[in-house]
Amino acid sequence: MPFIDIAFAAEISRFEDPEFEEVARRNCNEDPYKRQSQIEELRSMVYERGMCNPRRMDDAYLLRFLRCRRFIPALAHKLMVRYEDFRRKNAYLYDCSAFGLQKVKNVYAGTLPDSPENGRITLMRFGRWDSEEIPIEDVVRCALIMDEIAAMQPRLQILGVTIIVDLEGLGVRHVSKLTRTVAGQIVALMGVSFPINIHAVHVVNYNWFISTFFSLFKQFIPTAAWARLHFHGYDMTSLHKHIDPEYLPPEYGGQCQYVISTEEWLRKIDIFKDDFMVQELRELGFMVESDKCKWFDEW
């Protein structure tokens, strides 16, 4: 089985790998001996405070929120409240065909394999967005489906994500479509309101135009997040101080062989998806076709 197919099969895995315990301890402050009591503490907090009404309350679900808030139940609860609030206020974003979002194509991408230090390297390349053909809502929806699927995978919950925001090609035609609402949604999806462990956000390939673009976003960025935000301009050696070039695409001075566009990623996930993922996506509000994949039979 080719490496790339093995990697995509892993994208739907919910296996809790005991070999990841040390990484979980380092990245998430996860202690297997305290984990269950912290899950119970978070569960009690949700019931007692009544500030949100999650659709799930099982251990695996609560674990998502604890892992990206270093197993501090109070912070995990705060994140859960924000996540549920986002879902309530933006329910219309889920009202779409999950795998039909392949049409967004290469606005987003990711590299494989994942970096041990930086986790999943995710590229956000808004200059590649065809603003005449693809509505801004679908660009946001694409980030949303990426987040929701990533949050299902224990391995990514632990490894986390590093985001590169590449503004090459960004122009007036793009910024004119951005609104305060959209900017808030994008920031929320970059870890502010989602159970995604974001290590850092690196902004590259920009010029004077960034002040116009960034002014829409900065009002939504929490104070604590500024320390994880890095601006490199066109200086890739600066980026390399934070991310090993082994895990970066050639366009950033790296040697990574596999740069997977959102279009390809969603197409593969559509093939490898299992019943659990289909059910989860439908319960979230996405439309998912019922055709079952045949890859197990073909492999």
Side-chain angles (χ1 to χ4, degrees):
M1 190 178 189
F3 162 77
I4 199 68
D5 284 342
I6 293 173
F8 276 108
E11 289 288 282
I12 65 167
S13 172
R14 290 171 300 283
F15 174 60
E16 291 280 356
D17 191 343
E19 293 185 5
F20 258 60
E21 279 191 4
E22 187 53 42
V23 181
R25 190 184 300 274
R26 183 186 71 229
N27 286 1
C28 310
N29 195 36
E30 183 169 346
D31 184 339
Y33 298 103
K34 297 179 180 178
R35 180 169 50 214
Q36 192 58 45
S37 64
Q38 290 165 319
I39 289 173
E40 295 299 339
E41 184 178 348
L42 175 57
R43 183 179 287 115
S44 296
M45 204 172 285
V46 172
Y47 286 134
E48 290 169 5
R49 297 187 180 182
M51 296 172 67
C52 61
N53 184 29
R55 64 186 182 84
R56 286 174 53 187
M57 286 290 284
D58 55 277
D59 289 2
Y61 188 71
L62 298 180
L63 200 51
R64 299 180 185 183
F65 295 88
L66 285 165
R67 279 177 167 156
C68 61
R69 288 300 181 266
R70 297 195 61 77
F71 271 78
I72 301 173
L75 295 182
H77 176 261
K78 186 176 180 180
L79 174 61
M80 183 176 283
V81 171
R82 284 205 300 266
Y83 171 71
E84 293 298 331
D85 188 55
F86 176 92
R87 284 189 19 82
R88 179 178 56 81
K89 291 179 178 177
N90 300 281
Y92 71 95
L93 290 176
Y94 292 84
D95 186 14
C96 66
S97 170
F99 297 104
L101 292 168
Q102 294 176 43
K103 62 186 176 183
V104 177
K105 297 186 177 179
N106 60 356
V107 173
Y108 305 105
T111 63
L112 291 173
D114 297 320
S115 162
E117 299 299 324
N118 305 102
R120 172 67 50 85
I121 308 297
T122 297
L123 314 178
M124 303 178 74
R125 304 175 293 190
F126 296 113
R128 301 192 183 194
W129 161 39
D130 185 345
S131 58
E132 299 302 317
E133 294 292 329
I134 305 299
I136 184 65
E137 290 80 11
D138 284 346
V139 175
V140 177
R141 284 178 171 128
C142 200
L144 174 62
I145 188 71
M146 289 167 62
D147 273 9
E148 291 289 8
I149 291 176
M152 296 179 195
Q153 187 191 136
R155 186 173 182 275
L156 272 184
Q157 293 169 13
I158 293 169
L159 277 178
V161 174
T162 295
I163 298 172
I164 297 176
V165 180
D166 185 346
L167 300 182
E168 186 73 43
L170 188 76
V172 174
R173 70 185 187 280
H174 301 108
V175 176
S176 64
K177 302 292 177 69
L178 291 173
T179 64
R180 187 176 182 276
T181 296
V182 169
Q185 290 168 341
I186 292 174
V187 171
L189 290 166
M190 293 171 72
V192 171
S193 300
F194 264 71
I196 302 292
N197 188 8
I198 304 295
H199 295 299
V201 176
H202 300 274
V203 187
V204 300
N205 294 335
Y206 57 84
N207 51 32
W208 61 270
F209 201 63
I210 191 176
S211 59
T212 303
F213 178 79
F214 196 63
S215 63
L216 290 167
F217 292 87
K218 61 184 180 182
Q219 60 188 304
F220 300 106
I221 301 174
T223 303
W226 283 94
R228 300 194 300 273
L229 187 59
H230 307 277
F231 295 88
H232 304 283
Y234 292 91
D235 184 1
M236 296 306 146
T237 59
S238 174
L239 179 64
H240 296 170
K241 293 176 183 177
H242 299 267
I243 305 174
D244 189 326
E246 179 183 352
Y247 300 98
L248 289 171
E251 63 200 272
Y252 306 125
Q255 300 96 40
C256 181
Q257 296 182 51
Y258 298 102
V259 181
I260 313 299
S261 70
T262 306
E263 182 179 22
E264 182 179 0
W265 185 76
L266 282 173
R267 181 174 59 81
K268 286 284 192 178
I269 295 295
D270 192 16
I271 294 171
F272 285 85
K273 67 183 184 295
D274 60 5
D275 290 341
F276 173 85
M277 179 177 286
V278 170
Q279 180 181 342
E280 280 289 284
L281 292 176
R282 285 176 175 168
E283 287 184 3
L284 286 166
F286 291 107
M287 291 178 282
V288 183
E289 293 183 7
S290 59
D291 293 340
K292 294 179 70 66
C293 68
K294 303 290 193 297
W295 79 275
F296 286 105
D297 297 329
E298 295 171 355
W299 184 33

